[in-house]
Amino acid sequence: MVLAIDRRIGKYAILLAMNGDQEEFPVVTPSQWKSCMGKVGSMDSQKVVAAIETAAKREGIIKSDGYRETHALYHAIMDALSGVTRGQVQLGSVMRTVGLRFSVVRGNPYEELEEGDWIAVALYGTIGAPVRGSEHETIGLGINHI
Amino acid sequence: MVLAIDRRIGKYAILLAMNGDQEEFPVVTPSQWKSCMGKVGSMDSQKVVAAIETAAKREGIIKSDGYRETHALYHAIMDALSGVTRGQVQLGSVMRTVGLRFSVVRGNPYEELEEGDWIAVALYGTIGAPVRGSEHETIGLGINHI
Amino acid sequence: MVLAIDRRIGKYAILLAMNGDQEEFPVVTPSQWKSCMGKVGSMDSQKVVAAIETAAKREGIIKSDGYRETHALYHAIMDALSGVTRGQVQLGSVMRTVGLRFSVVRGNPYEELEEGDWIAVALYGTIGAPVRGSEHETIGLGINHI
Amino acid sequence: MVLAIDRRIGKYAILLAMNGDQEEFPVVTPSQWKSCMGKVGSMDSQKVVAAIETAAKREGIIKSDGYRETHALYHAIMDALSGVTRGQVQLGSVMRTVGLRFSVVRGNPYEELEEGDWIAVALYGTIGAPVRGSEHETIGLGINHI
Amino acid sequence: MVLAIDRRIGKYAILLAMNGDQEEFPVVTPSQWKSCMGKVGSMDSQKVVAAIETAAKREGIIKSDGYRETHALYHAIMDALSGVTRGQVQLGSVMRTVGLRFSVVRGNPYEELEEGDWIAVALYGTIGAPVRGSEHETIGLGINHI
Amino acid sequence: MVLAIDRRIGKYAILLAMNGDQEEFPVVTPSQWKSCMGKVGSMDSQKVVAAIETAAKREGIIKSDGYRETHALYHAIMDALSGVTRGQVQLGSVMRTVGLRFSVVRGNPYEELEEGDWIAVALYGTIGAPVRGSEHETIGLGINHI
Ligand SMILES: [Mg+2]
Ligand SMILES: [Mg+2]
Ligand SMILES: [Mg+2]
Ligand SMILES: [Mg+2]
Ligand SMILES: [Mg+2]
Ligand SMILES: [Mg+2]
């Protein structure tokens, strides 16, 4: 189980989330991998979770039915949110809001075939007071086996 | 106070931390900004903190004497470690180890001059069991005014 | 202060919470102990706290007036919720819901009379997405002197 | 994805961990499921993690090589430890020690075959000051897809 | 960077918050320092944050425009709330409410001029169930460079 | 259950901890109350817990034998440490050290006799890098029924 140099799933996810509309970083994930991107801005952490989950299911990154893949994705999202919130996974209840781009990437980042699929959720954007401009950048990455 | 498009201090810090030896991402920070990079691998979270702090002082990113800038850096490091550890800022005590590249970037990411200097600490690498290969990627970003 | 083998208050509480309608585990708590059971399902953590507190007061497990016993019960509930939520004591705000059975048991689990009464709160049920079946089991136990 | 009444993997795990030497609860897990039990007492949280992981690999509950199953088990252990420690996953560093029985159970608790295998880690025992008898019961359960 | 005996900014802030209407503790902060006080009672943590921030801006303790000083104050408030809530920065969502007096003090507590201004946020009051009298005291202090 | 104006146990505890050698705040606790004070400086959180517990037992604030009172004190200490550490109850493992004065006060702060004894643990001092002067003030208060 060695992470392959050119299959860094977390790095791909981060670049996709940071790419913005200009696509300044050319990201070519390995063939057979799946990925999607999206945007969400909210003071409500529930809406962030829902936006990512909805996109991942709509784009076919994970199965819409069944619990297994939803469970894998959920915990990857929670891990990514930990990085964004750094301490308490709370937004509006502590008077802050986020404006995020997200990506979800699915594939096997290891040399060994039997490691199977993993999922990476990356979040990049801003966090701050609910006042335009009163914000700084924030990032989060969650990785899970799926 | 608007984050300038081409002065995204967190994005620069992340790219520097992910760049590795190949410097695959050409990162040109604004002139007058300061930055440094380094590597640290440990089961001891204290060593991660110390490695970053030592590098930042040695490279002149923050002042070596006085407390003010050390305090700003310390909390940025703790925020970055939150993203890496996602929940409990513990490594060896919960049987895991990290292999990280880090960057520290200092500059003003806002349009307005009076926002002054901010500091970004980015961590990128792997976290996992103390067994080679039993690990996945992890990332963390902390940003503070300085 | 030695925990008596046949007065394991936490074990009794867990069995009562897991017993369900079939009462598959015959639980006979020591005479003079008090206990109650109930059910609560919600995305709102406040409702879980309220349901347990209301039942414990209505069934006479703790005194309805005064603060002392309410304080003891409250912290036992919070400890039990920690086990259920594992990290952030949040439900709906991170897009998850619980379906729980709970029990509250009061008595002295120690050999020594002077250890006085203690209270155990046990929670057992499911946690997961707000979609039927997208859930797994969860448990929590809080114990406090009262 | 419906949790089957007679395949409650968490309930089985809890009963196995609470069973003690007397095996007071007859636990018959579904055929083809795997499970193991063990004991660990320590002020060192790392030793608790290691004891469970070692037992699960030695007893063939998870594969010894590869990372995927180790990753699934690790996060189930961390979730179970959250319930035991209720807040900070720390033992000796906050002057407390645990004496625990643990179980690891692997199987599919859902009606649907495609939900695949899940793993449950249960911990039951005492937590308290490093003085004999100065302790109360504690429990933790972690469940993950594997 | 040595904390000056008679410029203990945190101590001043605590005394101001504990002073109440009787002003039982004569607090004379160093000349050129700024401070304000206020009261807030709520089950909604967002309202506590907002009350402090609004008072600090209205009284000119921090600049109303720009992000830098708002960021410094915000993290000092969050640190103070950590002390008040001890674990989860949540109020109503875990069925508790606070009645607090707060103070914000700004000045340089160090012997050295170059340490610049720091900000202290102190909270003192009660926390408990949303029932009059079912509460005990609580305190929190956050200190940050500004 | 109403907190009596002149029996604010937390306020007394805080004043005692902030009093220092000069005893600048005249603190006269109600007769029949018990209190003790002490100092502890360490990078090791375990030593802080031990110092307080040892002092409280040696000075007769709580009973040396039995678990009940030790349990009440322990959780009050942990709550106070939460305020001091604001997030992670860790010192050396995140490269910081504390220099604290502590007080433990025992008595009934309520108007009603039946609320019985409560215990308050207050911590006041500095937290920071393990370099003389690289520190700021910190405070914590824990209150529990006993
Ligand atoms: Mg789960
Ligand atoms: Mg600080
Ligand atoms: Mg309390
Ligand atoms: Mg992991
Ligand atoms: Mg910030
Ligand atoms: Mg306890």
Side-chain angles (χ1 to χ4, degrees):
Chain A
M1 61 295 190
V2 174
L3 282 168
I5 279 284
D6 54 347
R7 292 209 294 272
R8 294 285 175 136
I9 194 171
K11 194 186 254 191
Y12 283 123
I14 291 291
L15 290 173
L16 286 171
M18 293 198 311
N19 235 343
D21 298 329
Q22 297 75 33
E23 299 202 16
E24 52 188 296
F25 311 112
V27 179
V28 186
T29 54
S31 63
Q32 296 177 314
W33 283 28
K34 290 176 193 165
S35 63
C36 72
M37 279 152 287
K39 278 196 233 185
V40 60
S42 187
M43 286 191 81
D44 182 348
S45 44
Q46 184 171 349
K47 283 195 184 142
V48 178
V49 179
I52 302 170
E53 207 173 301
T54 302
K57 288 187 172 172
R58 191 189 52 225
E59 303 295 324
I61 315 300
I62 68 162
K63 296 202 319 189
S64 292
D65 55 331
Y67 183 42
R68 189 178 182 82
E69 299 202 345
T70 299
H71 185 256
L73 175 64
Y74 179 78
H75 286 283
I77 294 172
M78 292 306 295
D79 276 6
L81 270 177
S82 267
V84 164
T85 54
R86 291 146 295 128
Q88 309 287 331
V89 184
Q90 297 173 254
L91 298 177
S93 60
V94 289
M95 269 280 280
R96 57 183 178 175
T97 188
V98 289
L100 297 170
R101 280 174 184 274
F102 63 82
S103 72
V104 183
V105 183
R106 178 183 184 149
N108 177 356
Y110 298 93
E111 300 277 8
E112 295 77 11
L113 202 65
E114 57 265 41
E115 291 297 346
D117 270 4
W118 291 65
I119 196 156
V121 173
L123 305 172
Y124 168 76
T126 56
I127 191 164
V131 172
R132 184 166 156 59
S134 290
E135 64 203 14
H136 57 63
E137 291 162 276
T138 188
I139 209 160
L141 174 65
I143 291 188
N144 208 355
H145 61 286
I146 193 164
Chain B
M1 60 295 191
V2 174
L3 282 168
I5 279 284
D6 55 347
R7 292 209 295 272
R8 293 286 173 135
I9 193 170
K11 194 186 256 191
Y12 283 123
I14 291 290
L15 290 173
L16 286 171
M18 293 199 311
N19 235 342
D21 298 328
Q22 295 76 35
E23 299 201 16
E24 53 190 296
F25 310 111
V27 180
V28 185
T29 54
S31 64
Q32 296 177 314
W33 283 29
K34 290 177 194 166
S35 64
C36 72
M37 280 153 286
K39 277 197 235 185
V40 59
S42 186
M43 286 191 80
D44 182 349
S45 44
Q46 184 171 349
K47 282 194 184 143
V48 178
V49 179
I52 302 170
E53 206 173 301
T54 301
K57 289 188 172 173
R58 192 189 51 226
E59 302 295 322
I61 315 301
I62 68 163
K63 296 203 320 190
S64 292
D65 56 332
Y67 182 41
R68 190 177 180 83
E69 299 201 346
T70 299
H71 186 254
L73 176 63
Y74 179 78
H75 286 283
I77 295 172
M78 291 308 293
D79 275 6
L81 270 177
S82 268
V84 164
T85 54
R86 291 147 294 128
Q88 308 287 329
V89 184
Q90 297 174 253
L91 297 178
S93 61
V94 289
M95 269 281 278
R96 57 183 179 176
T97 189
V98 288
L100 297 169
R101 280 173 185 275
F102 63 82
S103 71
V104 183
V105 183
R106 178 181 184 151
N108 177 356
Y110 298 92
E111 300 276 8
E112 295 77 12
L113 203 65
E114 56 265 41
E115 291 297 347
D117 269 3
W118 291 66
I119 197 157
V121 173
L123 304 172
Y124 169 76
T126 56
I127 192 165
V131 171
R132 185 169 155 54
S134 290
E135 64 203 14
H136 57 63
E137 290 162 277
T138 188
I139 210 161
L141 175 65
I143 291 187
N144 209 354
H145 61 286
I146 192 164
Chain C
M1 62 293 193
V2 175
L3 282 167
I5 279 284
D6 54 348
R7 292 209 294 272
R8 294 286 175 135
I9 193 171
K11 194 186 255 192
Y12 283 123
I14 291 290
L15 290 173
L16 287 171
M18 294 198 311
N19 235 344
D21 297 328
Q22 297 75 35
E23 298 202 16
E24 53 188 296
F25 310 110
V27 179
V28 185
T29 55
S31 64
Q32 295 177 314
W33 283 29
K34 291 175 194 166
S35 64
C36 72
M37 279 153 289
K39 278 197 234 186
V40 60
S42 187
M43 285 190 80
D44 182 348
S45 44
Q46 184 171 349
K47 283 195 183 142
V48 178
V49 179
I52 303 171
E53 207 173 300
T54 302
K57 289 188 171 172
R58 191 188 52 226
E59 303 295 323
I61 315 300
I62 68 162
K63 297 202 319 190
S64 292
D65 54 332
Y67 182 41
R68 189 179 182 82
E69 299 202 345
T70 299
H71 185 255
L73 175 64
Y74 179 77
H75 286 283
I77 295 172
M78 290 307 295
D79 275 7
L81 270 178
S82 267
V84 164
T85 53
R86 291 147 294 127
Q88 309 286 331
V89 183
Q90 296 173 253
L91 298 178
S93 61
V94 289
M95 268 282 279
R96 57 183 179 176
T97 188
V98 289
L100 296 170
R101 280 173 185 275
F102 63 82
S103 71
V104 183
V105 183
R106 179 182 183 149
N108 178 355
Y110 297 92
E111 300 276 9
E112 294 78 11
L113 202 65
E114 56 264 42
E115 291 298 345
D117 270 4
W118 291 66
I119 196 157
V121 173
L123 305 172
Y124 169 76
T126 55
I127 192 165
V131 172
R132 185 167 156 55
S134 290
E135 64 202 16
H136 58 65
E137 290 162 276
T138 188
I139 209 161
L141 175 65
I143 291 187
N144 208 356
H145 61 285
I146 193 164
Chain D
M1 60 296 191
V2 175
L3 282 168
I5 280 284
D6 54 347
R7 291 209 296 272
R8 293 286 173 136
I9 193 170
K11 193 186 255 191
Y12 283 123
I14 291 290
L15 290 173
L16 286 171
M18 293 200 310
N19 235 343
D21 298 328
Q22 297 74 35
E23 299 200 16
E24 53 189 297
F25 309 110
V27 180
V28 186
T29 54
S31 63
Q32 295 177 314
W33 282 29
K34 290 176 194 166
S35 64
C36 73
M37 279 153 288
K39 278 197 234 185
V40 60
S42 187
M43 285 190 81
D44 182 349
S45 44
Q46 184 170 350
K47 282 194 184 143
V48 178
V49 179
I52 302 170
E53 206 173 301
T54 301
K57 289 187 171 174
R58 192 188 52 226
E59 303 295 323
I61 315 301
I62 68 162
K63 295 203 320 189
S64 292
D65 56 331
Y67 182 42
R68 190 178 181 82
E69 298 201 346
T70 298
H71 185 254
L73 176 63
Y74 179 77
H75 286 283
I77 294 172
M78 291 307 295
D79 275 7
L81 270 177
S82 266
V84 164
T85 54
R86 292 147 294 129
Q88 308 287 330
V89 184
Q90 296 174 254
L91 298 177
S93 61
V94 289
M95 268 282 278
R96 57 184 178 175
T97 189
V98 288
L100 297 170
R101 280 172 185 276
F102 63 83
S103 71
V104 184
V105 183
R106 178 183 184 149
N108 177 355
Y110 297 93
E111 301 276 8
E112 295 78 10
L113 202 65
E114 57 265 41
E115 291 298 347
D117 270 4
W118 291 67
I119 196 156
V121 173
L123 304 173
Y124 169 75
T126 56
I127 192 165
V131 171
R132 185 169 155 53
S134 290
E135 65 202 14
H136 58 63
E137 290 162 277
T138 189
I139 210 160
L141 174 65
I143 291 187
N144 208 356
H145 62 285
I146 193 164
Chain E
M1 60 294 193
V2 174
L3 282 168
I5 280 285
D6 55 347
R7 292 209 294 273
R8 294 286 174 137
I9 193 171
K11 193 187 254 190
Y12 283 123
I14 291 290
L15 290 172
L16 286 171
M18 294 199 311
N19 236 344
D21 298 328
Q22 295 76 33
E23 299 202 16
E24 53 189 295
F25 310 112
V27 179
V28 185
T29 55
S31 64
Q32 296 176 315
W33 283 29
K34 291 177 193 165
S35 63
C36 72
M37 280 153 287
K39 277 197 233 186
V40 59
S42 187
M43 287 191 80
D44 182 349
S45 43
Q46 185 170 348
K47 282 193 185 144
V48 178
V49 179
I52 302 170
E53 207 173 300
T54 302
K57 289 187 172 173
R58 191 189 51 225
E59 303 295 324
I61 315 300
I62 68 163
K63 296 203 319 190
S64 292
D65 56 331
Y67 182 41
R68 190 179 182 82
E69 300 201 345
T70 299
H71 185 254
L73 175 64
Y74 179 78
H75 286 284
I77 295 171
M78 291 307 294
D79 276 7
L81 270 177
S82 266
V84 164
T85 54
R86 292 147 295 128
Q88 308 287 330
V89 184
Q90 296 173 253
L91 297 177
S93 61
V94 289
M95 268 282 279
R96 56 183 179 176
T97 189
V98 289
L100 297 170
R101 279 173 185 275
F102 63 83
S103 71
V104 183
V105 183
R106 178 182 184 149
N108 177 355
Y110 298 93
E111 300 277 7
E112 295 77 10
L113 203 65
E114 56 266 40
E115 291 297 346
D117 269 4
W118 291 67
I119 196 157
V121 173
L123 304 172
Y124 168 76
T126 55
I127 191 165
V131 172
R132 185 169 153 57
S134 290
E135 64 202 15
H136 58 64
E137 291 162 276
T138 188
I139 210 161
L141 174 65
I143 291 187
N144 208 355
H145 62 286
I146 193 164
Chain F
M1 59 295 190
V2 174
L3 282 168
I5 278 285
D6 55 347
R7 292 209 294 273
R8 294 285 174 137
I9 194 171
K11 193 187 256 192
Y12 283 124
I14 291 291
L15 290 173
L16 286 171
M18 293 198 312
N19 235 342
D21 298 328
Q22 297 75 34
E23 299 202 16
E24 53 189 295
F25 310 111
V27 179
V28 185
T29 54
S31 63
Q32 296 177 312
W33 283 29
K34 290 177 195 167
S35 64
C36 73
M37 279 153 287
K39 277 197 233 185
V40 59
S42 187
M43 286 191 80
D44 182 349
S45 44
Q46 184 170 349
K47 283 194 184 142
V48 178
V49 180
I52 302 170
E53 205 173 302
T54 302
K57 288 187 172 174
R58 192 189 51 225
E59 303 295 323
I61 315 300
I62 67 163
K63 296 202 320 189
S64 293
D65 55 331
Y67 182 43
R68 190 178 181 82
E69 299 201 346
T70 299
H71 185 255
L73 175 63
Y74 179 77
H75 286 284
I77 295 172
M78 291 307 295
D79 275 7
L81 270 178
S82 267
V84 164
T85 54
R86 292 147 293 128
Q88 308 286 330
V89 184
Q90 295 174 253
L91 298 177
S93 61
V94 289
M95 268 281 280
R96 56 183 179 176
T97 188
V98 288
L100 297 170
R101 281 173 184 275
F102 63 83
S103 72
V104 184
V105 183
R106 179 183 183 148
N108 177 355
Y110 297 93
E111 300 277 9
E112 295 78 11
L113 202 66
E114 56 267 41
E115 291 297 346
D117 271 3
W118 292 66
I119 197 157
V121 173
L123 305 172
Y124 169 75
T126 56
I127 192 165
V131 172
R132 183 166 157 57
S134 290
E135 65 203 14
H136 58 63
E137 290 163 277
T138 189
I139 210 161
L141 174 66
I143 291 187
N144 208 355
H145 62 285
I146 193 165

